[in-house]
Amino acid sequence: MKMDQDADPQLRIGFIGAGNMAFGIAKGMLSGNVLPINIKVSAPSSTNQGRFQELGISVTHSNTEVVSGSDLVFVAVKPHLVPLVLSEVSPHVQQKQIIVSVAAGVTLAVLEELLPENSIVIRLMPNLPCVVQEGALLFARGANAKQEDGAVLRSLLRCCGLVVEGPEAWIDIHTGMSGSGVAFVYLFAEALAEGAVKMGMPSALAHSIASQTVLGAGRLLRDSGKHPAQLRSEVCTPGGTTIYGLHTLEQGGVRASVMSAVESATEKARELGRK
Ligand SMILES: NC(=O)c1ccc[n+]([C@@H]2O[C@H](COP(=O)([O-])OP(=O)(O)OC[C@H]3O[C@@H](n4cnc5c(N)ncnc54)[C@H](OP(=O)(O)O)[C@@H]3O)[C@@H](O)[C@H]2O)c1
């Protein structure tokens, strides 16, 4: 497996937007070798700034202050606000700065159009488990972002989870599978627990066992490197409980439903990108 380098401890990092995603990424970075003193976050209100301050990160209400004092800037506002924010900060963006957008559906072409010519732009799609350093992040480089710019981003995100680079076309697929997929897994965990409650287990216990089951199955899947079908067959004693349960799931069409869910979430992400 490729080992990512440590981040340059001198690198100054900015966040425009102080929401859940900015916080998840910042928290992940701090668990690596990034120092809070090198991070600055802007948001119009103080509502979400306190949790950054608790981590020793400085905050401001000025987006231009963040851009002027950073080598790499994450744009972490809601997608419809990206044009407003980038037109505000654009005059302050310098050629060597790396601008990383996490806004769903906002394409590299749109970002490059909103920023000065030849800007270094990267589009990143994280997911919420970045908050616990178990995110799945895919990024695509813009026309002027070199491989070494991608390497800088990788080094920063090293502790946020799995970080991969791919063509921009994969970003919407990643959004459907992993951004939205987190919610699909929660639905499955909820259904597991409700099944147990139906069979007579107390709800709180059922939910805590369901979350541990999802976590344990996920870790074993990742750490073993085995195909899920292989792990599944290892759990299936002939004529035993698991194969009976799996048969019921297949009769309910769970496999086709999950595939269709990824398909429709991907299509929706593509549709948002066209708007
Ligand atoms: N959440 C996810 O799971 C997820 C996954 C992948 C990608 N994303 C992307 O991440 C981005 C942020 O999502 P989020 O969930 O973190 O949103 P969020 O929690 O609603 O946070 C949005 C932040 O933007 C700030 N903001 C609003 N207007 C601004 C302006 N003019 N200048 C600077 N900051 C401004 C808000 O300020 P206040 O604090 O003052 O309200 C808030 O801190 C979105 O584009 C989304 O597509 C999210």
Side-chain angles (χ1 to χ4, degrees):
M1 188 190 270
K2 183 178 175 299
M3 296 299 288
D4 287 323
Q5 287 181 334
D6 279 349
D8 173 1
Q10 306 297 325
L11 204 74
R12 296 164 308 156
I13 300 136
F15 284 91
I16 300 180
N20 292 326
M21 202 27 77
F23 186 68
I25 295 173
K27 215 170 152 217
M29 288 192 316
L30 290 180
S31 64
N33 68 331
V34 174
L35 298 172
I37 197 169
N38 287 332
I39 306 181
K40 186 164 259 190
V41 179
S42 65
S45 79
S46 303
T47 319
N48 293 298
Q49 291 186 333
R51 56 185 173 168
F52 288 90
Q53 287 172 303
E54 280 168 23
L55 297 175
I57 294 171
S58 63
V59 297
T60 172
H61 296 308
S62 163
N63 296 335
T64 55
E65 188 185 325
V66 161
V67 169
S68 303
S70 304
D71 302 303
L72 183 145
V73 180
F74 288 96
V75 179
V77 297
K78 291 288 186 200
H80 70 280
L81 290 171
V82 171
L84 177 86
V85 163
L86 289 189
S87 58
E88 178 197 351
V89 300
S90 194
H92 303 268
V93 171
Q94 289 160 21
Q95 289 291 320
K96 57 181 178 12
Q97 280 178 311
I98 304 174
I99 308 295
V100 181
S101 165
V102 300
V106 183
T107 61
L108 283 167
V110 167
L111 296 164
E112 284 167 351
E113 185 70 32
L114 291 163
L115 287 161
E117 219 180 329
N118 299 324
S119 292
I120 301 171
V121 183
I122 297 180
R123 192 176 160 198
L124 170 71
M125 188 47 60
N127 71 354
L128 204 52
C130 284
V131 189
V132 290
Q133 290 86 60
E134 292 290 1
L137 305 92
L138 181 90
F139 72 88
R141 283 182 282 133
N144 303 301
K146 299 192 178 63
Q147 216 169 346
E148 50 263 38
D149 300 315
V152 169
L153 181 64
R154 268 179 186 283
S155 69
L156 286 174
L157 299 176
R158 207 170 56 88
C159 292
C160 291
L162 174 74
V163 185
V164 286
E165 179 176 358
E168 187 177 18
W170 290 358
I171 295 239
D172 290 331
I173 305 173
H174 178 71
T175 306
M177 176 181 64
S178 190
S180 307
V182 169
F184 306 161
V185 173
Y186 292 149
L187 184 133
F188 188 80
E190 188 185 347
L192 273 183
E194 281 174 356
V197 172
K198 187 177 179 200
M199 300 316 291
M201 186 180 275
S203 177
L205 180 63
H207 281 278
S208 105
I209 293 177
S211 73
Q212 183 64 24
T213 304
V214 168
L215 175 70
R219 279 198 62 182
L220 190 57
L221 179 60
R222 181 190 62 187
D223 296 351
S224 68
K226 290 181 181 173
H227 191 283
Q230 190 183 343
L231 284 170
R232 191 161 46 79
S233 88
E234 287 171 12
V235 187
C236 282
T237 308
T241 57
T242 311
I243 194 67
Y244 271 77
L246 284 169
H247 189 200
T248 306
L249 282 173
E250 295 286 13
Q251 281 173 327
V254 72
R255 184 191 298 260
S257 293
V258 173
M259 287 174 69
S260 298
V262 174
E263 186 179 21
S264 53
T266 303
E267 291 298 354
K268 184 66 187 174
R270 286 182 180 155
E271 187 190 316
L272 291 173
R274 283 193 290 268
K275 278 190 181 158

